[in-house]
Amino acid sequence: MPEVQPLRFFRKGEAGALGGGRIMTPLQAEVLEDGWVPDPDALGSSLTRHDLAIGTGYGDTGPTNLPGPEHAGSPEADDAWPPVFQWQIDPGNPDLVSGEADVSEGEWDFAVWWQRHPAGLLYVSIQALERRDDEIGAAERQLPMGRNVVVNLVYDEQRQAVVAVYGTARDFRPFISALRTGLGLQPPTGEHGS
């Protein structure tokens, strides 16, 4: 029968605490919220065999990507047709107008980031964080890693409408509301506006 070692925990700042940007599981992140740092599973790491299932794509660095069609040229090329505006969005591009907003609605805080494409489209990313100010210090994560709720969308300024929305949320409506508030959007006036 194999020997079982209990998972050990250390107080923050003690020897054995996680560091160096190590990826945590949601359980480890929740334990970290309570002031304890989980000791990495030394037994699990020692039993990991990277040489298993090489024939199915596993190697020293883990699984390889499944093969698929690939284009020889750069998809961002200016002469690509039809153009894909989303490929031209770059958070580091100082030539494109970008912005951020923090929105609080109900028990949720929304971090809204957007960038305007010259074609009149706003590419928007919205992250929802459940407000738990009384339980968590300012320097700690508000949600465990892997449990963030994020929605990305495309807003057409000319038509004043969302033309694409996708993400991990069950209900996109609170994110649309955060978009309205964060960007200060107003309904159009006139025949169809209020």
Side-chain angles (χ1 to χ4, degrees), residues 14-182:
E14 290 180 3
L18 291 176
R22 185 176 184 277
I23 294 175
M24 294 181 287
T25 66
L27 176 60
Q28 288 171 325
E30 287 176 359
V31 171
L32 185 63
E33 287 179 2
D34 294 332
W36 294 90
V37 178
D39 187 28
D41 183 1
L43 180 63
S45 297
S46 67
L47 294 178
T48 302
R49 298 262 324 260
H50 296 295
D51 59 342
L52 295 178
I54 292 176
T56 60
Y58 283 82
D60 291 340
T61 58
T64 56
N65 292 332
L66 293 173
E70 293 183 21
H71 190 275
S74 168
E76 296 85 5
D78 292 335
D79 60 351
W81 190 90
V84 180
F85 295 148
Q86 186 171 356
W87 292 346
Q88 299 167 1
I89 292 297
D90 176 7
N93 185 346
D95 297 330
L96 297 178
V97 177
S98 301
E100 296 179 4
D102 293 319
V103 176
S104 294
E105 294 189 5
E107 297 180 3
W108 292 87
D109 292 328
F110 295 88
V112 181
W113 177 88
W114 57 270
Q115 189 166 68
R116 178 177 286 118
H117 188 277
L121 300 173
L122 293 180
Y123 285 84
V124 185
S125 182
I126 305 172
Q127 180 179 15
L129 300 170
E130 189 172 12
R131 194 175 312 114
R132 298 185 296 172
D133 299 331
D134 56 333
E135 298 176 20
I136 298 175
E140 295 175 335
R141 295 180 61 89
Q142 289 187 288
L143 282 179
M145 187 175 296
R147 290 181 41 196
N148 292 338
V149 182
V150 178
V151 166
N152 295 307
L153 59 87
V154 181
Y155 179 78
D156 185 330
E157 292 181 300
Q158 180 181 356
R159 292 183 281 179
Q160 298 182 353
V162 174
V163 294
V165 60
Y166 47 95
T168 59
R170 284 186 264 175
D171 185 356
F172 292 131
R173 291 172 294 184
F175 292 85
I176 301 302
S177 178
L179 169 77
R180 268 194 316 263
T181 304

